[in-house]
Every structure is written in structure tokens, then in C-alpha cells.
Amino acid sequence: MENYSKLIPDVEEDVWLRERTHTKTGGKVPYIFYPRNLDELKKVVTTLKSDNVYFEVLGEMTNIAVSEDDLDFVIVNMMRYENEAEPVWDGNRFLTVSASMKMKQLAIWAFNSNIKGLAWMEGIPGTVGAGIFMNAGFLVGQDMETYLVSAEYLDLDDLQVKSVQNQGLDFRYRYSKFHDMNAIVLQGTFMVYPLKRDWKLPLRKYKLRTQMNAYHVRRAKNQPLELPSAGTVFVPPMPWHVGGMMRELNLVGHQIGGAQISLKSPGFIVNVGGMTGEDYFDLVDFMRNKVYENYNLRIIPEVRLIKRDGDPRRQH
């Protein structure tokens, strides 16, 4: 592989992903590039494509499990992309935010700016860009599908910046059309609602803060936040629930290597010590096979499973 250490100002070399991913899995990648603006992003993408180097586009790495091998790809990380830019609010309904902003951070920013509509983001890890990509959400009606107006993205085929409206993203549970596009999300515009500035404003903000705290408490109560994980593993096979099926099959706590079906929330796989990406992949396969054998259902992972050659669903 070529030496890309000076391709843009922010480049890391020989990075162990187990030190960066929320699952604490992942071998070593040769490079992580952190473009700070569109020019740097285009330069990285153009160079890597010209040199036929496969790359993964990642953010905070909250919903991935990664192989322990030396990895045959590099990472374009969007965490620092225009990360000093403040959200732009028109003072009424529309708020435009960089893809690099963390969803939790955006929820707090909106609260402090007397804006409602994004409180549900308080308990969700990851960036706005990743959230748009996967239609992140908390409960029904509290998700990207409900509040996103449009997204701006870089088309990796022609390197043009384009925009797509909500209806063009074919949202469904933990899916947007970006899964099937050769693109990088740059920013999102959301529909929000200003809090009325009158003598009741402190009461309205108190209610909003109470709502945000309730989201946080509910998440802490129902999810194994004390252990490394990538969140819920599978798309719910409605009307079934994977956690409930694991309980029925007496598989709660089943373990492969350091990967365990969570005791607290068996829809999660948690790292109980020394979990490798391969442990995670094997436990995913085990759970899928058991569900198929007993319920005749094929369940689909929502966690991205990135192996030595990258995610086969995301080939650029």
C-alpha cells in the first residue's frame, strides 16, 4: 500500500480498531483519514479510488463488530468533518446539522437553544450522519424517518454534492436508501419546533428536560450499558422479539469466547471480556440458526459485521 500519511493533515497510521469500536473488537487498519472539509474529503476519496484501495466510511463506530485480522481496508472517518460548525437554524422550522455532530450533543444543543423535536436523540450513541444512514431512533415516531427533511451527501461515483428528500430515502426500521448508495452523508436538515418565549418558557423547558431524563433512565434500565456492545443485534422480526425468543429457547447468557447473549437484554450481544470480532460473528450465526430451526424465521443483523476485506454490502 502507498504511503498516505501526509495525504491530508489528520491521518492516523496502524490503528487497532478494538481501541475505537464500542464492541472493543477489531484488528489493525493501515490508515484512518479524518477529513475536516469537502476539499479534503474529495482528495482522500479520489486518491483511494484511483489507487484501488477499499475504504470504509465510519463515524463513532458504535454499531459495528470487526474482524481481528490485519484488515485489508482503510477508514474514512467523518467525526471531524466540519465539526466546528454550529447547527444552522432558520428560527422557525428547519435546523441543518453537520454529519459529524453527535446525536446526544445535538439533543443538548437544541434544548439549550429552546428548540424541541430532537429530545429522543439524547440516549442514542453515534453521529448524525450515521444516524441518517441507519435511520436511528428510540421509539416509534422518534426517529430519523419522522424528523429528517432532507440530507446532503457526496456521490462517490461523480464526486458531486447532492441532496435527497426524506421521501427519497425509503426509510424503514434501521434502514435508509444510503445503504444501497455509493455516498457519504454530509449534513441533515430536520424539522423542529421553537419553544414559545413567554412567561411559561421555564416550565416548557422543565418538561422537555424531564422527557430527556426519562429517555436516559429507560435506556439505562433496559439496556446493558455497563458492557461493550453494538446495541440491538437484529432487525425485529415483527411481531416477534429476538430477546423474547432467546428467553424461550433458554439461550440467555449463552457464550462463545468473550461474546455473550446479554443477561439483561438478550437482544444484545455483549463483550464480557476478550471478545473478538469472530466471537461476535459466530454468536450472530448461532442465534440466527437457532431462530430459524425453532421459529422458521430468518433474522437479519442490523449491526454492521465488518470482516477482513470490509463490509461486503458496502463495496465502493
Side-chain angles (χ1 to χ4, degrees), residues 63 134 173-174 179 230-236 300-304 313:
N63 70 323
M134 68 174 295
Y173 185 88
R174 300 299 176 263
H179 280 250
T232 305
V233 180
F234 297 101
V235 176
I300 302 167
E302 66 174 77
V303 173
R304 290 184 62 190
R313 299 172 298 177

PDB file of all heavy atoms in Angstrom, residues 63 134 173-174 179 230-236 300-304 313:
ATOM      1  N   ASN A  63     -21.971   0.916  16.103  1.00  0.00           N
ATOM      2  CA  ASN A  63     -22.826  -0.231  15.732  1.00  0.00           C
ATOM      3  C   ASN A  63     -22.119  -1.193  14.794  1.00  0.00           C
ATOM      4  O   ASN A  63     -22.690  -1.682  13.827  1.00  0.00           O
ATOM      5  CB  ASN A  63     -24.133   0.262  15.094  1.00  0.00           C
ATOM      6  CG  ASN A  63     -23.914   0.874  13.719  1.00  0.00           C
ATOM      7  OD1 ASN A  63     -22.911   1.547  13.485  1.00  0.00           O
ATOM      8  ND2 ASN A  63     -24.846   0.653  12.800  1.00  0.00           N
ATOM      9  N   MET A 134     -28.593   4.861   9.056  1.00  0.00           N
ATOM     10  CA  MET A 134     -29.259   3.663   9.572  1.00  0.00           C
ATOM     11  C   MET A 134     -30.664   3.935  10.123  1.00  0.00           C
ATOM     12  O   MET A 134     -31.278   3.063  10.724  1.00  0.00           O
ATOM     13  CB  MET A 134     -28.414   3.017  10.657  1.00  0.00           C
ATOM     14  CG  MET A 134     -28.286   3.809  11.942  1.00  0.00           C
ATOM     15  SD  MET A 134     -27.416   2.883  13.238  1.00  0.00           S
ATOM     16  CE  MET A 134     -28.577   1.532  13.521  1.00  0.00           C
ATOM     17  N   TYR A 173     -37.257   0.275   9.250  1.00  0.00           N
ATOM     18  CA  TYR A 173     -36.548   0.054  10.504  1.00  0.00           C
ATOM     19  C   TYR A 173     -35.045  -0.132  10.262  1.00  0.00           C
ATOM     20  O   TYR A 173     -34.615  -1.050   9.566  1.00  0.00           O
ATOM     21  CB  TYR A 173     -37.114  -1.168  11.240  1.00  0.00           C
ATOM     22  CG  TYR A 173     -36.488  -1.369  12.601  1.00  0.00           C
ATOM     23  CD1 TYR A 173     -37.019  -0.753  13.717  1.00  0.00           C
ATOM     24  CD2 TYR A 173     -35.344  -2.152  12.748  1.00  0.00           C
ATOM     25  CE1 TYR A 173     -36.441  -0.910  14.962  1.00  0.00           C
ATOM     26  CE2 TYR A 173     -34.754  -2.315  13.991  1.00  0.00           C
ATOM     27  CZ  TYR A 173     -35.307  -1.694  15.097  1.00  0.00           C
ATOM     28  OH  TYR A 173     -34.715  -1.847  16.333  1.00  0.00           O
ATOM     29  N   ARG A 174     -34.258   0.769  10.828  1.00  0.00           N
ATOM     30  CA  ARG A 174     -32.793   0.782  10.773  1.00  0.00           C
ATOM     31  C   ARG A 174     -32.258   0.666   9.335  1.00  0.00           C
ATOM     32  O   ARG A 174     -31.217   0.068   9.087  1.00  0.00           O
ATOM     33  CB  ARG A 174     -32.203  -0.327  11.654  1.00  0.00           C
ATOM     34  CG  ARG A 174     -32.578  -0.198  13.111  1.00  0.00           C
ATOM     35  CD  ARG A 174     -32.088   1.103  13.743  1.00  0.00           C
ATOM     36  NE  ARG A 174     -32.564   1.224  15.112  1.00  0.00           N
ATOM     37  CZ  ARG A 174     -33.647   1.919  15.481  1.00  0.00           C
ATOM     38  NH1 ARG A 174     -34.370   2.561  14.565  1.00  0.00           N
ATOM     39  NH2 ARG A 174     -34.010   1.991  16.740  1.00  0.00           N
ATOM     40  N   HIS A 179     -27.907   2.843   2.420  1.00  0.00           N
ATOM     41  CA  HIS A 179     -27.296   1.515   2.485  1.00  0.00           C
ATOM     42  C   HIS A 179     -26.934   1.011   1.093  1.00  0.00           C
ATOM     43  O   HIS A 179     -25.969   0.257   0.930  1.00  0.00           O
ATOM     44  CB  HIS A 179     -28.266   0.517   3.135  1.00  0.00           C
ATOM     45  CG  HIS A 179     -28.301   0.586   4.627  1.00  0.00           C
ATOM     46  ND1 HIS A 179     -27.800  -0.394   5.439  1.00  0.00           N
ATOM     47  CD2 HIS A 179     -28.790   1.537   5.456  1.00  0.00           C
ATOM     48  CE1 HIS A 179     -27.973  -0.062   6.706  1.00  0.00           C
ATOM     49  NE2 HIS A 179     -28.576   1.101   6.744  1.00  0.00           N
ATOM     50  N   ALA A 230     -22.766  -3.371  20.539  1.00  0.00           N
ATOM     51  CA  ALA A 230     -23.118  -2.549  19.381  1.00  0.00           C
ATOM     52  C   ALA A 230     -24.616  -2.262  19.372  1.00  0.00           C
ATOM     53  O   ALA A 230     -25.173  -1.899  18.338  1.00  0.00           O
ATOM     54  CB  ALA A 230     -22.708  -3.252  18.088  1.00  0.00           C
ATOM     55  N   GLY A 231     -25.266  -2.447  20.508  1.00  0.00           N
ATOM     56  CA  GLY A 231     -26.694  -2.225  20.564  1.00  0.00           C
ATOM     57  C   GLY A 231     -27.460  -3.467  20.131  1.00  0.00           C
ATOM     58  O   GLY A 231     -26.928  -4.583  20.094  1.00  0.00           O
ATOM     59  N   THR A 232     -28.733  -3.272  19.811  1.00  0.00           N
ATOM     60  CA  THR A 232     -29.577  -4.371  19.373  1.00  0.00           C
ATOM     61  C   THR A 232     -28.973  -5.029  18.140  1.00  0.00           C
ATOM     62  O   THR A 232     -28.599  -4.349  17.188  1.00  0.00           O
ATOM     63  CB  THR A 232     -30.990  -3.860  19.050  1.00  0.00           C
ATOM     64  OG1 THR A 232     -31.506  -3.167  20.185  1.00  0.00           O
ATOM     65  CG2 THR A 232     -31.912  -5.010  18.702  1.00  0.00           C
ATOM     66  N   VAL A 233     -28.905  -6.360  18.156  1.00  0.00           N
ATOM     67  CA  VAL A 233     -28.179  -7.067  17.095  1.00  0.00           C
ATOM     68  C   VAL A 233     -29.002  -7.221  15.829  1.00  0.00           C
ATOM     69  O   VAL A 233     -28.488  -7.042  14.715  1.00  0.00           O
ATOM     70  CB  VAL A 233     -27.734  -8.466  17.589  1.00  0.00           C
ATOM     71  CG1 VAL A 233     -26.981  -9.206  16.483  1.00  0.00           C
ATOM     72  CG2 VAL A 233     -26.872  -8.344  18.830  1.00  0.00           C
ATOM     73  N   PHE A 234     -30.299  -7.520  15.967  1.00  0.00           N
ATOM     74  CA  PHE A 234     -31.112  -7.891  14.809  1.00  0.00           C
ATOM     75  C   PHE A 234     -32.281  -6.938  14.588  1.00  0.00           C
ATOM     76  O   PHE A 234     -32.834  -6.369  15.537  1.00  0.00           O
ATOM     77  CB  PHE A 234     -31.680  -9.306  14.997  1.00  0.00           C
ATOM     78  CG  PHE A 234     -30.634 -10.381  15.075  1.00  0.00           C
ATOM     79  CD1 PHE A 234     -30.253 -10.904  16.302  1.00  0.00           C
ATOM     80  CD2 PHE A 234     -30.029 -10.872  13.932  1.00  0.00           C
ATOM     81  CE1 PHE A 234     -29.286 -11.890  16.393  1.00  0.00           C
ATOM     82  CE2 PHE A 234     -29.056 -11.856  14.008  1.00  0.00           C
ATOM     83  CZ  PHE A 234     -28.679 -12.372  15.242  1.00  0.00           C
ATOM     84  N   VAL A 235     -32.657  -6.813  13.330  1.00  0.00           N
ATOM     85  CA  VAL A 235     -33.908  -6.144  12.987  1.00  0.00           C
ATOM     86  C   VAL A 235     -35.052  -6.976  13.563  1.00  0.00           C
ATOM     87  O   VAL A 235     -35.102  -8.193  13.339  1.00  0.00           O
ATOM     88  CB  VAL A 235     -34.065  -6.037  11.455  1.00  0.00           C
ATOM     89  CG1 VAL A 235     -35.421  -5.439  11.095  1.00  0.00           C
ATOM     90  CG2 VAL A 235     -32.924  -5.212  10.855  1.00  0.00           C
ATOM     91  N   PRO A 236     -35.969  -6.388  14.330  1.00  0.00           N
ATOM     92  CA  PRO A 236     -37.052  -7.176  14.935  1.00  0.00           C
ATOM     93  C   PRO A 236     -37.895  -7.886  13.867  1.00  0.00           C
ATOM     94  O   PRO A 236     -38.392  -7.238  12.947  1.00  0.00           O
ATOM     95  CB  PRO A 236     -37.891  -6.118  15.668  1.00  0.00           C
ATOM     96  CG  PRO A 236     -36.957  -4.986  15.914  1.00  0.00           C
ATOM     97  CD  PRO A 236     -36.025  -4.967  14.740  1.00  0.00           C
ATOM     98  N   ILE A 300     -32.305 -10.788  10.462  1.00  0.00           N
ATOM     99  CA  ILE A 300     -31.290 -10.012   9.744  1.00  0.00           C
ATOM    100  C   ILE A 300     -30.549  -9.113  10.724  1.00  0.00           C
ATOM    101  O   ILE A 300     -31.175  -8.349  11.472  1.00  0.00           O
ATOM    102  CB  ILE A 300     -31.950  -9.152   8.657  1.00  0.00           C
ATOM    103  CG1 ILE A 300     -32.734 -10.042   7.681  1.00  0.00           C
ATOM    104  CG2 ILE A 300     -30.916  -8.316   7.921  1.00  0.00           C
ATOM    105  CD1 ILE A 300     -33.653  -9.261   6.770  1.00  0.00           C
ATOM    106  N   PRO A 301     -29.215  -9.166  10.738  1.00  0.00           N
ATOM    107  CA  PRO A 301     -28.470  -8.268  11.638  1.00  0.00           C
ATOM    108  C   PRO A 301     -28.652  -6.808  11.244  1.00  0.00           C
ATOM    109  O   PRO A 301     -28.660  -6.471  10.052  1.00  0.00           O
ATOM    110  CB  PRO A 301     -27.010  -8.700  11.452  1.00  0.00           C
ATOM    111  CG  PRO A 301     -27.074 -10.073  10.860  1.00  0.00           C
ATOM    112  CD  PRO A 301     -28.316 -10.087  10.021  1.00  0.00           C
ATOM    113  N   GLU A 302     -28.811  -5.945  12.246  1.00  0.00           N
ATOM    114  CA  GLU A 302     -28.749  -4.513  11.989  1.00  0.00           C
ATOM    115  C   GLU A 302     -27.358  -3.970  12.315  1.00  0.00           C
ATOM    116  O   GLU A 302     -26.984  -2.899  11.840  1.00  0.00           O
ATOM    117  CB  GLU A 302     -29.810  -3.754  12.772  1.00  0.00           C
ATOM    118  CG  GLU A 302     -29.653  -3.760  14.281  1.00  0.00           C
ATOM    119  CD  GLU A 302     -30.677  -2.861  14.957  1.00  0.00           C
ATOM    120  OE1 GLU A 302     -31.836  -3.253  15.065  1.00  0.00           O
ATOM    121  OE2 GLU A 302     -30.285  -1.758  15.378  1.00  0.00           O
ATOM    122  N   VAL A 303     -26.596  -4.701  13.120  1.00  0.00           N
ATOM    123  CA  VAL A 303     -25.205  -4.346  13.380  1.00  0.00           C
ATOM    124  C   VAL A 303     -24.390  -4.630  12.128  1.00  0.00           C
ATOM    125  O   VAL A 303     -24.588  -5.642  11.452  1.00  0.00           O
ATOM    126  CB  VAL A 303     -24.648  -5.154  14.572  1.00  0.00           C
ATOM    127  CG1 VAL A 303     -23.152  -4.919  14.749  1.00  0.00           C
ATOM    128  CG2 VAL A 303     -25.398  -4.802  15.849  1.00  0.00           C
ATOM    129  N   ARG A 304     -23.474  -3.733  11.798  1.00  0.00           N
ATOM    130  CA  ARG A 304     -22.601  -3.962  10.641  1.00  0.00           C
ATOM    131  C   ARG A 304     -21.479  -4.916  11.040  1.00  0.00           C
ATOM    132  O   ARG A 304     -20.755  -4.682  12.014  1.00  0.00           O
ATOM    133  CB  ARG A 304     -22.018  -2.643  10.130  1.00  0.00           C
ATOM    134  CG  ARG A 304     -23.054  -1.739   9.477  1.00  0.00           C
ATOM    135  CD  ARG A 304     -22.418  -0.492   8.914  1.00  0.00           C
ATOM    136  NE  ARG A 304     -21.447  -0.823   7.875  1.00  0.00           N
ATOM    137  CZ  ARG A 304     -20.604   0.065   7.349  1.00  0.00           C
ATOM    138  NH1 ARG A 304     -20.587   1.308   7.786  1.00  0.00           N
ATOM    139  NH2 ARG A 304     -19.759  -0.301   6.405  1.00  0.00           N
ATOM    140  N   ARG A 313     -21.477  -5.543   1.914  1.00  0.00           N
ATOM    141  CA  ARG A 313     -22.638  -4.782   1.457  1.00  0.00           C
ATOM    142  C   ARG A 313     -22.263  -3.369   1.067  1.00  0.00           C
ATOM    143  O   ARG A 313     -23.085  -2.634   0.507  1.00  0.00           O
ATOM    144  CB  ARG A 313     -23.706  -4.743   2.566  1.00  0.00           C
ATOM    145  CG  ARG A 313     -24.230  -6.115   2.969  1.00  0.00           C
ATOM    146  CD  ARG A 313     -25.124  -6.010   4.181  1.00  0.00           C
ATOM    147  NE  ARG A 313     -24.395  -5.502   5.341  1.00  0.00           N
ATOM    148  CZ  ARG A 313     -24.954  -5.267   6.522  1.00  0.00           C
ATOM    149  NH1 ARG A 313     -26.239  -5.493   6.697  1.00  0.00           N
ATOM    150  NH2 ARG A 313     -24.223  -4.814   7.540  1.00  0.00           N
TER     151      ARG A 313
END
